[in-house]
Amino acid sequence: AQSVTQPDIHITVSEGASLELRCNYSYGATPYLFWYVQSPGQGLQLLLKYFSGDTLVQGIKGFEAEFKRSQSSFNLRKPSVHWSDAAEYFCAVAPMNRDDKIIFGKGTRLHILP
Amino acid sequence: GAGVSQSPRYKVAKRGQDVALRCDPISGHVSLFWYQQALGQGPEFLTYFQNEAQLDKSGLPSDRFFAERPEGSVSTLKIQRTQQEDSAVYLCASSFFSESSYNSPLHFGNGTRLTVT
């Protein structure tokens, strides 16, 4: 069965430091891959998505993610975090052409130190 | 409206009460989804509509949960005889196109936080 693993429940980084949030998936074929962000009391907002092509995907708010098929990973990165990036981040996977089957990871809560 | 709207924002119910949660998707969006997000967890799929048709309800945890979208726009998630384990945030999401999310990502509402006492 398909699954998404986010191994870090909490991550703390200093403002201005670089960030990498890990995501591994288990799926029979190359799925669609997503990263969503959720601020407290808010719904989820799409940061970026990978469907095919260039394995380095650029998203909003200065985020990027790299799809590595050999490692079944889709890690999220940002070169310099801002205090406003503090939120919960969810990696998600869906089979091709079936966005009704999106599966979310358990999330990584990002804390930013001033 | 500009986004997906959910009401009420918060709901406290006594165990055994029935509740109804409302979702107003973005106008014109074909697909509508309900998710349940327990504390400290990611959203888990409950059910999916394409227009008024409920195409998948495999995620509904029990027959106490019922969802409808009679006119293909507003949707209601109803929970009968609520239990404490139903306490969670219920998220609604919509998207424009049903076959692929490539150009139509999910747009989420802010959710309804249900607390069953």
Side-chain angles (χ1 to χ4, degrees):
Chain A
Q2 53 265 39
S3 65
V4 179
T5 302
Q6 294 181 246
D8 303 305
I9 298 174
H10 295 273
I11 290 277
T12 301
V13 299
S14 297
E15 190 169 16
S18 64
L19 171 70
E20 182 168 30
L21 301 183
R22 296 183 289 165
C23 173
N24 292 92
Y25 68 90
S26 172
Y27 199 72
T30 300
Y32 290 167
L33 296 160
F34 309 83
W35 275 98
Y36 284 84
V37 60
Q38 186 178 36
S39 298
Q42 303 293 313
L44 280 75
Q45 180 184 21
L46 180 67
L47 283 176
L48 47 80
K49 58 193 179 216
Y50 171 79
F51 291 141
S52 65
D54 193 344
T55 57
L56 185 62
V57 180
Q58 301 298 321
I60 62 171
K61 304 185 180 186
F63 285 92
E64 66 178 27
E66 185 171 12
F67 169 58
K68 293 185 177 180
R69 185 190 308 272
S70 61
Q71 298 176 20
S72 296
S73 69
F74 189 57
N75 294 350
L76 181 72
R77 301 195 294 249
K78 186 170 184 177
S80 175
V81 298
H82 186 263
W83 64 267
S84 61
D85 293 326
E88 185 127 26
Y89 292 80
F90 294 94
C91 182
V93 59
M96 287 188 174
N97 297 325
R98 292 299 304 273
D99 59 352
D100 58 309
K101 294 295 186 184
I102 289 180
I103 296 172
F104 290 87
K106 294 187 184 299
T108 297
R109 181 165 294 278
L110 176 63
H111 305 271
I112 306 294
L113 295 176
Chain B
V4 177
S5 177
Q6 291 187 246
S7 60
R9 190 78 175 86
Y10 302 93
K11 177 68 178 177
V12 179
K14 291 186 177 180
R15 189 169 52 187
Q17 281 185 332
D18 298 348
V19 298
L21 312 180
R22 177 186 170 104
C23 173
D24 282 86
I26 294 173
S27 178
H29 275 195
V30 170
S31 299
L32 185 144
F33 306 80
W34 284 98
Y35 290 86
Q36 181 189 59
Q37 186 176 19
L39 188 64
Q41 302 293 316
E44 294 200 358
F45 172 81
L46 292 177
T47 187
Y48 162 59
F49 290 86
Q50 184 176 331
N51 294 308
E52 69 278 3
Q54 189 174 21
L55 298 187
D56 189 337
K57 54 182 181 180
S58 62
L60 296 176
S62 78
D63 58 8
R64 294 186 296 104
F65 286 71
F66 172 77
E68 61 183 3
R69 194 187 185 196
E71 296 178 1
S73 55
V74 172
S75 177
T76 304
L77 176 67
K78 297 179 180 178
I79 309 173
Q80 297 176 323
R81 305 181 303 282
T82 53
Q83 303 295 315
Q84 282 192 315
E85 61 263 28
D86 300 335
S87 296
V89 174
Y90 291 85
L91 294 169
C92 177
S94 69
S95 70
F96 177 71
F97 191 52
S98 62
E99 292 302 318
S100 167
S101 60
Y102 184 81
N103 286 318
S104 60
L106 291 180
H107 296 264
F108 282 84
N110 289 338
T112 294
R113 181 177 294 279
L114 173 64
T115 303
V116 181
T117 61

